[in-house]
């Protein structure tokens, strides 16, 4: 077994971060629709979260924002002429479409792809499948550019396999790593991969959309060459989706041998845990940490985003650290649960609260903002080095953001053609700093 470690690739919040109200079933997105956003503050907050992990001695990567506005979408909708003319016309005739074209949603890299480390795959390659994100229009635009970014960062076909997104049909709805958890004894050892889906292909939908199908999850597991004995498919509870858990990572997070989840996360909670235990037999002993409804009502779990936390092994600490949103400290039931949990002798020994409020107001907590990639030293050596952060690089990115991003952005500002140029220039500066000019 080669030693491996988890690299978190966070999405850098883009200059067009705004509250578009585009995501049905995502309560924060609906609640804050139309509010003024603060792109500069948001991007700085995200980088401060990355700095926390760098300071802890973890390897931290970053993925640049995608090019926005997405003119292809506007042209597909029949707008033509100069860039300025397209934006002006879309601002007048189709403001919601313009918001979709401008969405900075690629910041939530937990939805960029599903990742299977080389220890789990039959060909020994590290596999990525870009998520089609086909449920939401604004998110469905991401995958071609996400695939291109992944191919550029993970270029070696001796080490990596980057798969394009599944077909853009509701039967294949896929939201990437937000509905996927890898459990293991050590990162470099063989793991158990848990895929959580909200509906079957072809199943009728009512209420908030279930964004992941079982068919999509199974297709990815096949493409990645996973061992069926170590792959588990579990259904997310309809109650969780109806309450606003539009991805499994709103009610569940796992790392190493630990699964931290709400009692209502799965349709069949005890069945899921038993199946995971069987899949892990001989590899590791699963440590489930279930949060009971009686202590944290589902509604509190969702509004605090307690489970949308990063669960990390910090060097030098013997228990796991939960990097949670500040909102989980502000909600009484979740704060109390955390206090009791760390005072006990379970696998989670500490909670570190972080401020990612700008992203949270669109339904994206600390866990949404990162894509976990378990890598060996050799694999890391093949990854584009410009995106691996140290504090000096974080400072440089923050300097560029302070110079090029707006402090305030209202949805109406998107109709100003000059803003498109600002976004382009800001992104070009970030790509230059990261040595990624080739994906401009
Ligand atoms: O897909 N919000 C994102 C939040 C994604 C969170 N990711 C995870 N849970 N992993 C979404 O709903 C809101 C955009 C807007 O309304 O402008 C948005 O897309």
């Amino acid at each position: 077994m080669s030693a491996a470690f988890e690299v978190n690739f966070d999405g850098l919040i883009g200059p067009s971060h705004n509250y578009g109200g585009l995501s049905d079933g995502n309560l924060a997105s609906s609640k804050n629709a139309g509010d003024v956003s603060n792109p500069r503050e948001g991007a700085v907050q995200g980088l401060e979260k990355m700095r926390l992990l760098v300071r802890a001695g973890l390897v931290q990567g970053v993925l640049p924002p995608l090019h926005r506005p997405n003119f292809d979408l506007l042209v597909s909708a029949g707008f033509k002429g100069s860039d300025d003319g397209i934006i002006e016309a879309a601002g007048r005739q189709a403001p919601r479409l313009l918001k979709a074209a401008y969405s900075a949603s690629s910041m939530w890299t937990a939805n960029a792809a599903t990742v299977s480390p080389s220890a789990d795959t039959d060909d020994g390659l590290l596999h990525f499948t870009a998520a089609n994100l086909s449920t939401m229009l604004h998110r469905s635009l991401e995958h071609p550019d996400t695939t291109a970014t992944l191919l550029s960062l993970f270029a070696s076909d001796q080490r990596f396999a980057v798969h394009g997104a599944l077909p853009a049909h509701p039967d294949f709805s896929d939201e990437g790593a937000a509905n996927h958890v890898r459990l293991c004894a050590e990162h470099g050892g063989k793991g158990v991969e848990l895929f959580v889906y909200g509906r079957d292909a072809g199943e009728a939908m009512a209420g908030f959309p279930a964004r992941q199908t079982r068919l999509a999850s199974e297709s990815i597991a096949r493409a990645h060459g996973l061992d069926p004995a170590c792959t588990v498919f579990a259904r997310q509870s309809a109650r969780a989706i109806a309450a606003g858990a539009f991805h499994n990572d709103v009610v569940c997070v796992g790392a190493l041998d630990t699964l931290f989840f709400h009692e209502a996360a799965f349709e069949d909670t005890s069945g899921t845990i038993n199946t995971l235990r069987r899949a892990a037999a001989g590899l590791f002993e699963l440590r489930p940490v279930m949060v009971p409804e009686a202590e944290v009502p589902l509604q509190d779990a969702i509004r605090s985003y307690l489970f949308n936390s990063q669960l990390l092994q910090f060097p030098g600490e013997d228990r796991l650290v939960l990097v949670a949103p500040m909102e989980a400290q502000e909600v009484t039931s979740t704060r109390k649960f955390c206090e009791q949990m760390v005072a006990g002798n379970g696998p989670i020994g500490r909670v570190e609260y972080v401020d990612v409020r700008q992203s949270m107001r669109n339904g994206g907590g600390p866990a949404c903002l990162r894509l976990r990639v378990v890598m060996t030293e050799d694999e890391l050596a093949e990854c584009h080095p410009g995106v691996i952060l140290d504090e000096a690089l974080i400072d440089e990115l923050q300097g560029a953001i302070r110079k090029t991003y707006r402090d305030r952005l209202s949805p109406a500002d998107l109709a100003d053609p000059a803003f498109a140029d600002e976004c382009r220039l800001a992104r070009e500066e970030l790509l230059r700093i990261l040595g990624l000019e080739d994906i401009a």
Side-chain angles (χ1 to χ4, degrees):
M1 173 179 81
S2 19
F5 40 89
E6 179 181 282
V7 184
N8 285 275
F9 285 88
D10 279 43
L12 190 50
I13 296 176
S16 64
H17 156 58
N18 72 94
Y19 298 121
L22 300 173
S23 277
D24 181 34
N26 169 342
L27 304 182
S29 155
S30 307
K31 179 167 167 242
N32 299 309
D35 281 3
V36 170
S37 60
N38 306 104
R40 187 189 299 160
E41 186 187 11
V44 169
Q45 285 173 349
L47 280 159
E48 285 307 301
K49 176 173 88 67
M50 299 180 225
R51 192 191 296 277
L52 176 81
L53 271 64
V54 170
R55 285 200 175 147
L58 298 170
V59 185
Q60 175 69 50
V62 68
L63 297 180
L66 301 182
H67 177 53
R68 292 291 177 266
N70 185 311
F71 280 103
D72 289 347
L73 175 72
L74 301 172
V75 169
S76 308
F79 293 103
K80 42 181 171 289
S82 66
D83 288 359
D84 286 10
I86 288 176
I87 288 174
E88 270 162 5
R92 275 194 317 274
Q93 296 170 31
R96 187 175 164 85
L97 194 72
L98 186 61
K99 283 193 284 188
Y102 258 118
S103 177
S105 56
S106 68
M107 71 175 80
W108 300 297
T109 52
N111 305 119
T114 305
V115 185
S116 296
S118 50
D120 297 352
T121 64
D122 60 0
D123 57 9
L125 300 179
L126 168 50
H127 283 250
F128 300 81
T129 296
N132 61 26
L133 294 165
S134 58
T135 307
M136 298 293 159
L137 174 66
H138 65 293
R139 303 226 57 184
S140 70
L141 310 175
E142 295 173 33
H143 71 85
D145 299 319
T146 300
T147 305
T149 304
L150 292 174
L151 281 167
S152 149
L153 299 186
F154 304 103
S156 161
D157 57 10
Q158 304 297 304
R159 301 253 177 232
F160 310 117
V162 176
H163 307 267
L166 295 170
H169 182 276
D171 282 5
F172 279 108
S173 296
D174 172 31
E175 301 266 327
N179 293 317
H180 175 250
V181 181
R182 177 176 188 262
L183 298 159
C184 56
E186 295 168 54
H187 293 304
K190 186 172 176 181
V192 168
E193 298 201 18
L194 166 66
F195 291 81
V196 184
Y197 61 93
R199 65 184 165 89
D200 281 315
E203 189 179 324
M205 274 197 273
F208 289 156
R211 298 199 202 176
Q212 183 86 30
T213 66
R214 183 175 176 123
L215 176 64
S217 299
E218 288 172 342
S219 305
I220 293 166
R222 275 189 286 270
H224 290 194
L226 301 182
D227 176 353
C230 295
T231 308
V232 174
F233 301 95
R235 189 167 175 130
Q236 191 182 3
S237 80
R239 192 180 147 227
I241 296 172
F246 54 95
H247 291 134
N248 173 251
D249 70 3
V250 176
V251 281
C252 170
V253 58
L256 295 165
D257 57 1
T258 301
L259 191 69
F260 179 54
F261 61 99
H262 192 272
E263 184 175 4
F266 306 104
E267 201 61 60
D268 174 6
T269 299
S270 57
T272 301
I273 297 303
N274 288 337
T275 312
L276 284 171
R277 282 194 204 283
R278 276 198 301 278
L283 297 174
F284 60 94
E285 178 96 28
L286 181 72
R287 303 182 77 184
V289 180
M290 188 180 86
V291 179
E293 174 80 33
E295 289 177 47
V296 176
L298 180 59
Q299 202 192 358
D300 281 4
I302 292 172
R303 76 189 165 100
S304 70
Y305 257 45
L306 169 65
F307 296 93
N308 201 258
S309 297
Q310 292 180 255
L311 193 52
L312 297 158
Q313 179 75 69
F314 276 17
E317 296 196 32
D318 52 355
R319 295 201 290 162
L320 297 174
V321 178
L322 190 74
V323 175
M326 286 177 71
E327 287 76 354
Q329 193 175 27
E330 290 159 5
V331 172
T332 309
S333 65
T334 50
R335 185 186 64 248
K336 284 198 169 143
F337 184 88
C338 288
E339 283 165 4
Q340 280 165 19
M341 175 173 73
V342 300
N345 59 2
I348 304 173
R350 196 158 70 78
V351 180
E352 180 98 40
Y353 294 101
V354 292
D355 180 0
V356 288
R357 284 191 203 279
Q358 283 293 314
S359 166
M360 281 286 286
R361 286 165 53 78
N362 248 338
C368 298
L369 286 163
R370 58 87 173 105
L371 181 67
R372 293 188 281 188
V373 184
V374 167
M375 306 177 95
T376 62
E377 285 285 356
D378 290 345
E379 288 159 355
L380 183 61
E382 294 282 348
C383 163
H384 171 67
V387 294
I388 303 299
L389 297 177
D390 58 20
E391 288 210 61
L393 190 47
I394 292 176
D395 291 341
E396 197 180 351
L397 290 167
Q398 287 182 337
I401 285 159
R402 290 198 171 97
K403 211 172 63 198
T404 59
Y405 278 40
R406 284 194 187 185
D407 173 27
R408 292 164 57 84
L409 187 66
S410 74
D413 296 334
L414 304 180
D416 170 9
F419 183 56
D421 264 341
E422 265 177 62
C423 290
R424 184 178 49 77
L425 293 172
R427 180 168 176 270
E428 278 172 11
E429 178 66 4
L430 299 173
L431 293 180
R432 189 193 58 73
I433 293 171
L434 299 173
L436 279 174
E437 293 92 334
D438 60 321
I439 60 163

